[in-house]
């Protein structure tokens, strides 16, 4: 009986270690160490907390095929990657999110996004946001950006140049928030 109990404790300890090694908690948000996008596996590169007027708005995590601190290389690469946003505040409304992303495209120094592509992306967000929402913007080569909200696929926008402009919002020369950029790059 003692041997079975000891074996169960050892197995439990090993299993617990394996589970915790799979998750990364940052700024009170837990992200998986790996994120499968289609048939490709990406890994957590880093994340950053977006605040405004001392209010925690969201945490943005970057997933890449291989870890990197080179923002320009990440923006330019035509490989599977993702930005995952965990909404922390009910102040992040659908309208404010859309306005902020539109402003981000206006200041992004990367890629090229047409007004039609930006409108297409923003049109995918047709439900109200709330704290706890999980948004994934996943890039797949030759397919473009696929958008998921709380596990539900909302649609997609094609094009590498569009992906470059979108990633440029967080990682470009004029990012929406320099501390989020630093965090996403593993800093």
């Amino acid at each position: 009986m003692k041997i079975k109990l000891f074996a169960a404790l050892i197995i439990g300890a090993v299993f617990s270690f394996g589970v915790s090694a799979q998750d990364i908690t940052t700024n009170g948000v837990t992200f998986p160490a790996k994120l499968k996008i289609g048939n490709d596996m990406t890994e957590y590169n880093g994340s950053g907390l977006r605040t405004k007027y001392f209010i925690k708005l969201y945490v943005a995590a970057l997933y890449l095929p291989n870890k990197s601190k080179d923002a320009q290389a990440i923006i330019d690469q035509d490989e599977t990657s993702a930005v995952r946003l965990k909404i922390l505040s009910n102040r992040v409304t659908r309208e404010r999110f859309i306005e902020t992303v539109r402003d981000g495209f206006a200041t992004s120094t990367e890629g090229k996004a047409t007004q039609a592509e930006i409108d297409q992306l923003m049109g995918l967000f047709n439900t109200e946001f709330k704290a706890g929402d999980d948004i994934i913007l996943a890039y797949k080569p030759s397919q473009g950006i696929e958008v998921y909200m709380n596990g539900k696929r909302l649609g997609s926008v094609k094009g590498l140049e569009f992906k470059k402009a979108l990633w440029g919002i967080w990682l470009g020369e004029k990012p929406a928030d320099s501390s989020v950029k630093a965090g996403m790059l593993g800093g």
Side-chain angles (χ1 to χ4, degrees), residues 84-173:
R84 187 171 192 168
L85 305 169
K86 296 276 195 153
I87 307 298
L88 301 177
S89 171
N90 285 325
R91 292 185 186 248
V92 180
T93 64
R94 176 186 171 275
E95 293 76 21
R96 285 184 181 152
F97 179 80
I98 288 172
E99 179 184 333
T100 301
V101 173
R102 284 188 190 281
D103 291 346
F105 276 115
T107 59
S108 179
T109 57
E110 307 301 326
K112 184 174 181 156
T114 66
Q115 190 59 52
E117 290 169 333
I118 294 168
D119 291 344
Q120 183 181 352
L121 176 69
M122 297 299 93
L124 298 176
F125 297 103
N126 56 14
T127 61
E128 196 52 50
F129 286 27
K130 63 186 178 315
D133 281 345
D134 182 25
I135 299 167
I136 298 175
L137 305 165
Y139 175 73
K140 296 179 185 177
S142 75
Q143 293 179 15
I145 297 288
E146 289 193 354
V147 180
Y148 297 86
M149 186 165 181
N150 300 324
K152 179 182 175 191
R153 185 180 185 278
L154 302 181
S156 63
V157 181
K158 294 192 181 300
L160 175 60
E161 289 302 309
F162 180 78
K163 174 257 185 185
K164 289 178 183 181
L166 183 60
W167 271 208
I169 292 172
W170 294 282
L171 301 172
E173 289 180 25

Side-chain angles (χ1 to χ4, degrees), residues 24-37:
I24 296 148
T25 301
T26 177
N27 297 301
V29 177
T30 301
F31 292 100
K34 297 198 179 288
L35 182 66
K36 189 170 184 182
I37 301 170

